[in-house]
Amino acid sequence: MSLAAPDPAAPARADASPAASLAALPVLLRPGRPDDVPALLDIYNGQIVSSVSPLHLEPRTLEMWEQWFADHQSDVHPLVVAEAGGRVAGYACLSAFRPPAAYLCTAELSVYVHRDARGRGVATLLMEAILGKARACGRIHSIVSHITGDNEPSRGLHRKMGFELCGTLREAGLKFGRYHDVHVYQLMLGEDA
């Protein structure tokens, strides 16, 4: 999950956003649509090249992200998009946690916000919406997030939403020439799921 400012050791990235800022526009939450895929990919790839969240080293391709989009079209693994002024401002999704069938009751949370829309509560809105979908589907017992590095905004939001720190994988990832910790947070949805 990513909410934080770019990693100071990351290479500089040219600002590819249109001149109109997303910061002053009202936010609408909605299901993701196939025509969102390029904008969703741009947000994710922007994080890859400027941040340690995610720990991918190479940008994802459109073909990869079309498959990713297809994988997030169910009640168990939904996708919620934040839109501002007709542009994608961010997204949240629940993904399969691990391949074995025994893990089907656990989902992994991801929330990414466009750099122009940060600091105005978009991540909170997205997280509230995706957690609501998780509870409504009735098949998810727990949600896990892996938060890389010293991403205090993301860690704070997770705590605010009731997630607990389960542990820290010390220096588990190597990116931008440094090792980074991965903090594991979990939210239990209850015995009814």
Side-chain angles (χ1 to χ4, degrees), residues 15-25 87-89 113-120 122:
D15 186 354
S17 65
S21 174
L22 294 171
L25 300 169
R87 294 174 52 210
V88 173
V113 176
H114 191 285
R115 64 192 169 277
D116 292 345
R118 292 182 188 151
R120 57 175 301 219
V122 174

Side-chain angles (χ1 to χ4, degrees), residues 1-5 51 53 147-156 183:
M1 163 155 178
S2 174
L3 303 174
S51 169
S53 177
I147 303 172
T148 310
D150 297 322
N151 191 339
E152 189 50 41
S154 183
R155 294 174 74 185
H183 308 285

Side-chain angles (χ1 to χ4, degrees), residues 124-168:
T124 300
L125 293 172
L126 285 165
M127 192 181 276
E128 288 171 346
I130 205 74
L131 293 179
K133 287 187 172 292
R135 290 182 174 100
C137 93
R139 294 168 44 202
I140 298 175
H141 180 66
S142 71
I143 298 175
V144 174
S145 273
H146 295 93
I147 303 172
T148 310
D150 297 322
N151 191 339
E152 189 50 41
S154 183
R155 294 174 74 185
L157 177 58
H158 278 74
R159 289 189 298 267
K160 181 173 97 173
M161 294 293 178
F163 282 75
E164 294 181 5
L165 177 65
C166 294
T168 299

